[in-house]
Amino acid sequence: MLVDLQTKYLGLTLKNPLGVAACAPLTGDLDMLWRLESAGASCVVLPSLFEEQIVHEELEIAQLYDYQTESFAESLTHFPEYPDYHTGPDEYLQHLESAKQALSIPVIGSLNGSSNGGWVRYARAIEEAGADALELNIYFIPTDASMTAEHVESRYVELVTEVRKSVSIPVAVKIGPNFTSLPNFARKLVQAGASGIVLFNRYLEADIDLDTLEIKPDLILSNRHEARVPLRWISIIRDQISVSLAATSGVHRMQSVVKLLLAGADVTMMASVLLMKGPEHLTTILKEVEAWLEEKEYLSVEQMKGSMSRANCPDPSALERANYMKALRNYTPEEYLPH
């Protein structure tokens, strides 16, 4: 029995549900992109063009017009030096154009930031460079105690609205899980023009260096257990809002892919596991997904998508407090388990 692995995401027809998330070592290199496609990737999200890069370039241009003054000196100290980034805006667009020429699968551009800045202009430039879609990776950490949840959400909505006005390609919004009412917020993003929502962004958490007593970034790759967070929320959102859903964070194995599709994801995005095991691991997972579908007698990915969403699963309460209480009752600390 032949299983149809095709899936729809952002209005695009993908040959299978295995995409590659934005990741500089993977999707920032043309040779690696070719390996990813050859291994079975159905779409790729290019590394993000960061708001800081756009702002830095605009400041550099402004300095050319005002180079005899120090009017931008203080502002420049807030941004990393240009060489600290792998590419600037122009190089980013060149990489996008090269990727589109080299690949036959959809190529999705990515913008990362928290304010309007030059996003609208570069969203348009990314579309003109040939991107099939655009992912807005909104990374905003509220630190002001007077800022309300409504204010935080309104920043996201405003940004999506402005970008949506400037491009005709589909726009997906990549968000974190920490919102008071995530289903309601997702609905606001869709009303603002989002074609898809990517669940979830893994924020870079800060750490303290005990030797230097400085705050330092600490990048830790995801683990397979993290897939449970997008699984819960995708299953909840799936039947309430008409929008494409991408699952990312913790997608390491066939089991994660299948579970997320059953919950209602349209595509699963990988990065960490490919960094650890190489692009060819995509081929292994794809074969295992196909074998599982055949064993369960599914004819297609479309047939099984969302069949275990909150609206369709036998016990919806398992996604809510009931599951929490059951887990606590049934848990036995390892030290008390019989050996």
Side-chain angles (χ1 to χ4, degrees), residues 167-184:
V167 298
S168 58
I169 56 176
V171 175
V173 185
K174 191 173 186 178
I175 62 173
N178 301 319
F179 290 92
T180 304
S181 176
L182 208 147
N184 179 264

Side-chain angles (χ1 to χ4, degrees), residues 111 116 119-120 123-124 134 136 157-169 171:
L111 287 172
N116 283 349
W119 275 37
V120 171
R124 192 178 301 116
L134 175 63
L136 298 183
V157 170
E158 179 184 355
L159 183 55
V160 174
T161 300
E162 292 304 310
V163 171
R164 177 71 275 174
K165 290 178 182 178
S166 70
V167 298
S168 58
I169 56 176
V171 175

Side-chain angles (χ1 to χ4, degrees), residues 59-276:
L59 289 171
E60 289 287 306
I61 293 172
Q63 280 192 310
L64 290 176
Y65 289 99
D66 201 15
Y67 69 95
Q68 291 180 325
T69 75
E70 296 296 326
S71 50
F72 290 92
E74 183 179 355
S75 298
L76 284 171
T77 63
H78 297 303
F79 302 100
E81 287 301 314
Y82 194 79
D84 288 347
Y85 290 102
H86 294 297
T87 59
D90 291 341
E91 290 84 356
Y92 185 90
L93 297 175
Q94 291 171 9
H95 177 59
L96 171 56
E97 291 177 352
S98 299
K100 279 299 298 177
Q101 293 173 3
L103 305 177
S104 60
I105 57 177
V107 176
I108 301 172
S110 176
L111 287 172
N112 183 308
S114 63
S115 61
N116 283 349
W119 275 37
V120 171
R121 176 159 54 91
Y122 279 99
R124 192 178 301 116
I126 286 173
E127 177 179 32
E128 292 171 353
D132 296 286
L134 175 63
E135 182 176 284
L136 298 183
N137 188 345
I138 306 176
Y139 191 116
F140 173 63
I141 306 295
T143 57
D144 186 349
S146 66
M147 180 176 287
T148 65
E150 183 179 5
H151 187 185
V152 173
E153 291 184 8
S154 69
R155 287 186 62 153
Y156 282 69
V157 170
E158 179 184 355
L159 183 55
V160 174
T161 300
E162 292 304 310
V163 171
R164 177 71 275 174
K165 290 178 182 178
S166 70
V167 298
S168 58
I169 56 176
V171 175
V173 185
K174 191 173 186 178
I175 62 173
N178 301 319
F179 290 92
T180 304
S181 176
L182 208 147
N184 179 264
F185 178 50
R187 176 173 291 168
K188 290 179 181 178
L189 294 175
V190 173
Q191 292 171 343
S195 306
I197 300 176
V198 184
L199 309 168
F200 286 107
N201 196 349
R202 294 183 77 248
Y203 290 142
L204 181 62
E205 303 296 349
D207 197 1
I208 296 177
D209 188 316
L210 295 180
D211 293 322
T212 63
L213 296 183
E214 295 178 341
I215 301 293
K216 65 176 184 179
D218 188 14
L219 177 61
I220 299 175
L221 298 180
S222 69
N223 65 70
R224 62 185 177 86
H225 301 293
E226 294 180 41
R228 295 177 182 179
V229 180
L231 185 149
R232 163 182 278 181
W233 288 108
I234 285 173
S235 67
I236 291 172
I237 292 172
R238 166 78 185 192
D239 302 300
Q240 299 188 66
I241 304 168
S242 180
V243 65
S244 287
L245 296 172
T248 188
S249 292
V251 186
H252 287 220
R253 309 183 301 164
M254 172 275 288
Q255 291 88 338
S256 299
V257 172
V258 170
K259 290 175 183 179
L260 288 163
L261 292 172
L262 287 169
D266 295 295
V267 65
T268 59
M269 298 289 190
M270 304 177 188
S272 291
V273 70
L274 302 180
L275 289 173
M276 292 185 280

Side-chain angles (χ1 to χ4, degrees), residues 4-9 14-20 40-43 245-247 251 257-258 260-261 265-270 282 285-286 289-290 293 301-302 304-305:
D4 184 358
L5 297 176
Q6 287 190 350
T7 183
K8 292 278 190 180
Y9 175 59
L14 307 183
K15 61 183 180 181
N16 64 63
L18 305 187
V20 182
S42 63
C43 66
L245 296 172
V251 186
V257 172
V258 170
L260 288 163
L261 292 172
D266 295 295
V267 65
T268 59
M269 298 289 190
M270 304 177 188
L282 277 165
I285 295 178
L286 190 58
V289 169
E290 187 172 15
L293 288 165
V301 166
E302 288 292 337
M304 56 95 73
K305 278 195 324 188

